[in-house]
Amino acid sequence: MAKTAQQPVLVIMGVSGSGKSTVAGVLAGRLGWDLAEGDDLHPEANVAKMHSGLPLTDEDRWPWLELIAGWIRSRTEVGEPGIITCSALKKKYRDVLRGENVVFVFLQGSKDKISDRLASRHGHFMPPSLLESQFEALEEPGADENHISLSVSASPAEEAQEVIERLELVASDAAQGGIS
């Protein structure tokens, strides 16, 4: 049996409200890969700051990005795929996260479309009032970055399927065993 190429760690990125958690959850379910929610790794001070309507500074983000980078490395160093969500808005943030077998999946959409999504979201610490600061900070991935871009105009299931097809991803053995 031929050895399959190492499957990547996917960093599902974009502004708040772009659907990172939803698409990541669909992907993890279909592929049987480990999933980490980047928001869960924020220090309490960051969550409190965002909840109060204040955007994070670069200084606020560095410890959080290092935790995410550590999670990514823990997967890539042993050749295991995984999925993690992270806004990764600036190139310098992605520079901390990048590595061999890491692919950024950029969920992009118009400010109006994403604003509508945020208006209907409840129970999240990131208020819609911070969307403008997210778009101001956003530096879309460039040609020198290992990434794919997806429009948020499709359903999360369709977006996840597009990721699987474009990256030729393979489900884990456990996930494949459950498919009939």
Side-chain angles (χ1 to χ4, degrees):
M1 185 166 163
K3 184 177 186 293
T4 311
Q6 181 176 335
Q7 295 292 291
V9 171
L10 304 178
V11 179
I12 312 299
M13 61 163 288
V15 298
S16 183
S18 60
K20 296 181 295 290
S21 297
T22 304
V23 171
V26 173
L27 280 166
R30 287 188 183 174
L31 295 169
W33 293 3
D34 288 344
L35 169 63
E37 178 61 57
D39 282 347
D40 292 344
L41 300 177
H42 270 296
E44 286 184 33
N46 283 9
V47 173
K49 189 172 186 178
M50 288 183 283
H51 188 71
S52 70
L54 297 172
L56 298 179
T57 64
D58 285 351
E59 292 72 31
D60 296 326
R61 285 187 178 95
W62 294 127
W64 172 65
L65 289 166
E66 287 297 335
L67 288 172
I68 291 172
W71 189 90
I72 291 169
R73 280 191 304 276
S74 75
R75 319 289 318 152
T76 59
E77 288 175 356
V78 295
E80 293 181 10
I83 302 166
I84 190 161
T85 61
C86 176
S87 54
L89 297 176
K90 295 182 181 181
K91 185 178 188 306
K92 64 184 177 181
Y93 303 161
R94 293 187 298 275
D95 287 346
V96 172
L97 306 177
R98 82 174 69 246
E100 192 170 340
N101 297 311
V102 176
V103 177
F104 294 95
V105 177
F106 175 40
L107 302 180
Q108 62 184 142
S110 71
K111 197 179 301 181
D112 288 341
K113 170 87 171 168
I114 293 174
S115 181
D116 289 346
R117 285 181 170 195
L118 283 176
S120 65
R121 183 164 79 172
H122 303 287
H124 194 275
F125 61 79
M126 179 77 162
S129 61
L130 289 179
L131 183 60
E132 185 67 35
S133 69
Q134 293 248 306
F135 272 98
E136 287 172 5
L138 178 62
E139 298 170 359
E140 294 190 9
D144 63 329
E145 297 180 79
N146 191 13
H147 81 285
I148 62 171
S149 296
L150 299 177
S151 169
V152 297
S153 58
S155 73
E158 292 167 327
E159 291 170 16
Q161 188 59 37
E162 183 175 348
V163 171
I164 291 168
E165 290 171 4
R166 286 177 62 185
L167 296 175
E168 300 177 356
L169 302 176
V170 178
S172 71
D173 291 339
Q176 288 176 346
I179 298 172
S180 45

